[in-house]
Amino acid sequence: MNRQASSLALTLLLLLMLVLSACSNANNKQPEASPSSEPAQEQVAAVPASEPAAKPKKLTIGIVNAPVTLNQINTQGSSASELPISLLNDALLDVTDNAQFVPKLAESVETADKQTFRVKLKSSAKWNDGTPFTTADVAFTLKAALHPKVETSFQLEFIQGLNDIGKLEEGAADISGLTIIDAATFEIKTKTPIDPLVFQERFGAKVNFLPEHILKGVDPAQLSTHEYFQKPLVTIGPYKFANYEQGQYVEVVRNENYYLDVPKIDTIFIKVLPAANLVAQLQTGEIHMNSLPVGLVPITDYDKVKGFQNVNVTSATASEPAELFFNIEQLPDKKVRQAIAHALNRPLIVEQLLKGQAEIIDGGVPSTHPYNNKDVKPYEYNPELSKQLLKEAGWDADRKLKFLIPVGNKVRELAADILVQNLEAVGIKVDVQKYDFPTLIDKVEKGEHDVTIFTRDYYIEPSLYFTTYKSNDPESVIRYKNPKVDQLIKQGEQEIDEAKRHEIYNELQAILHEEVPTLAVYSEKRLQVVSKDVLVGKPLNLGTFNNVNQWDLASK
């Protein structure tokens, strides 16, 4: 091939390669973006962001009496302590606001003879650290709490193997009335057949448990001082311990490991403050609700709180009365106690101080309770009879009656002031001493009083109203001893026939009315004040926290 032909061939080859390259680029070219299209990176950025995390829900409950302990086996008689303890710890049974017992840690409680009670635990029950709750915890708790060297508020003297004050005898290692069947089943045998109500309330609803895996091996003599009871991190309720400042507040947070439905409210803050501040902070919204019976809104403030636009106000029926407790060792003559009863102008307190929103009864059993003795008539206000009884008793007019009054409950303090005036009007000099509730309880348990005033809890099982009158009750603040009363209390606890129980408790109430170791002052209708931000939940005389995991608060 000549040079000219070679040059022409090379030119044609180059032209062919350019055409092929152009076709290839045309086939691989991406389509041009339309005016509405966004680059890939900008399309990702344009996807709507996820909703911001909801603000944690925090419910604040106002109380006027401070919790004295978080010890679930020894509440020291403090209703205020039972408030946080019941949030941290479930019992086998719970109680509803209409006085029905319902299963909680227990799957079932059965008895065929009213003497042997078989309990089956929920298989899902577990401590908040994930450890299963078993009968080993039940056995550990009972042996620890009922050890002779351990103080407890449990009232289980009806169980076989325990002495008359509900304790193991010195040196005893086992409770003969407790039988462990398997990890989920146990039996309790009582000394005699009992009304199932006794078991349901005293054992089923009032016994809280200790985690064996945390406290196993602790010397019983050192148990009450163990750090666990100051900071109980492992519990089995809907909420967990967060913070506790004695006399100021208790804070609990949601238990994410709860064996039932996990609570909807993240934090519950129990705030201690004077009654006047409680009312003010209900108005400002700093507090969402009060609590019964340790966060009472004074009935004298009814018209005021009814005018608050941010709350709902209702009232509960009259239940637990404010009650005088006499130290019988200091006031052994019943005529003196009867004279005090006649000296008190209780009608004035009800009509003027409480605006008629209360009633007068003498005993601690509420008038609406099935076991209240309707035949017992209250002591009438009669100052002249009071003076006559004091004269017959040889009362020393120079002696000062030491009257210890707890602060925090405004109405109770005002009522106590009226009582002091009544006593002085019949010739009884009074040494008034006011203390916060924990200090007062410590003093009256030591017997540093002639008379004190506070409110007891509401009980479904009637025997619980009378345990404080037992001669051997180690926690009694009245130091009362009457063999006939002891006999009736024992008969009432053991009687399983309802009609016969009524007869026993009617006789018992008649004797106590005659001897006046205690005297109710008034029984008020308690106000329930709840923020409109609370969707579910309110203070109740019974069963306030039985469904607290369903309580809810409006999101803010």
Side-chain angles (χ1 to χ4, degrees), residues 314-518:
T314 55
S315 61
T317 56
S319 55
E320 307 96 313
E323 194 168 2
L324 294 178
F325 292 79
F326 297 104
N327 183 345
I328 306 303
E329 292 178 352
Q330 298 298 320
L331 300 171
D333 192 333
K334 70 178 181 181
K335 284 190 175 182
V336 172
R337 304 191 296 272
Q338 290 172 345
I340 291 174
H342 282 298
L344 306 182
N345 194 345
R346 294 183 288 174
L348 176 70
I349 291 173
V350 168
E351 293 305 319
Q352 295 191 17
L353 180 61
L354 298 171
K355 299 183 179 182
Q357 299 299 306
E359 62 184 17
I360 297 172
I361 57 174
D362 279 356
V365 183
S367 64
T368 56
H369 197 283
Y371 281 86
N372 174 271
N373 185 345
K374 307 296 184 185
D375 294 329
V376 171
K377 304 303 179 185
Y379 282 90
E380 63 176 349
Y381 173 54
N382 189 333
E384 294 307 314
L385 179 56
S386 175
K387 292 175 184 178
Q388 179 61 35
L389 288 168
L390 288 173
K391 184 178 180 180
E392 293 175 9
W395 178 259
D396 182 359
D398 292 326
R399 176 181 172 179
K400 281 194 172 184
L401 189 77
K402 191 181 293 184
F403 188 8
L404 273 58
I405 302 170
V407 298
N409 183 322
K410 179 182 175 183
V411 169
R412 189 168 58 199
E413 289 184 64
L414 291 173
D417 290 340
I418 295 173
L419 300 183
V420 171
Q421 295 171 18
N422 295 158
L423 293 172
E424 291 177 339
V426 298
I428 299 176
K429 295 180 180 178
V430 185
D431 174 17
V432 174
Q433 299 180 20
K434 295 187 177 184
Y435 301 98
D436 61 82
F437 199 75
T439 303
L440 179 131
I441 288 295
D442 180 63
K443 286 184 172 292
V444 298
E445 286 182 346
K446 294 176 181 176
E448 299 177 10
H449 67 296
D450 292 327
V451 61
T452 186
I453 182 171
F454 53 84
T455 306
R456 284 194 280 176
D457 292 332
Y458 184 94
Y459 304 112
I460 300 170
E461 161 49 33
S463 64
L464 289 171
Y465 284 106
F466 305 105
T467 56
T468 193
Y469 302 106
K470 289 183 178 180
S471 299
N472 59 1
D473 180 12
E475 294 188 352
S476 175
V477 301
I478 57 176
R479 291 162 168 75
Y480 176 64
K481 292 178 172 59
N482 184 321
K484 179 62 174 177
V485 166
D486 290 337
Q487 179 188 3
L488 289 170
I489 291 174
K490 188 173 184 178
Q491 289 176 354
E493 290 176 343
Q494 296 177 353
E495 183 57 62
I496 59 176
D497 182 276
E498 186 175 346
K500 291 180 180 179
R501 281 196 103 196
H502 275 282
E503 292 177 5
I504 292 168
Y505 286 126
N506 281 345
E507 183 180 356
L508 182 54
Q509 289 173 76
I511 294 174
L512 294 173
H513 178 259
E514 169 71 17
E515 299 211 335
V516 208
T518 66

Side-chain angles (χ1 to χ4, degrees), residues 8-57:
L8 179 60
L10 180 60
T11 299
L12 292 172
L13 180 61
L14 290 172
L15 288 172
L16 179 61
M17 292 176 64
L18 288 172
V19 170
L20 291 173
S21 177
C23 291
S24 175
N25 287 340
N27 291 335
N28 293 332
K29 186 175 181 180
Q30 298 295 325
E32 291 185 10
S34 65
S36 61
S37 300
E38 297 287 344
Q41 185 175 358
E42 293 183 15
Q43 286 181 345
V44 172
V47 174
S50 60
E51 291 292 328
K55 185 178 179 181
K57 297 179 179 180

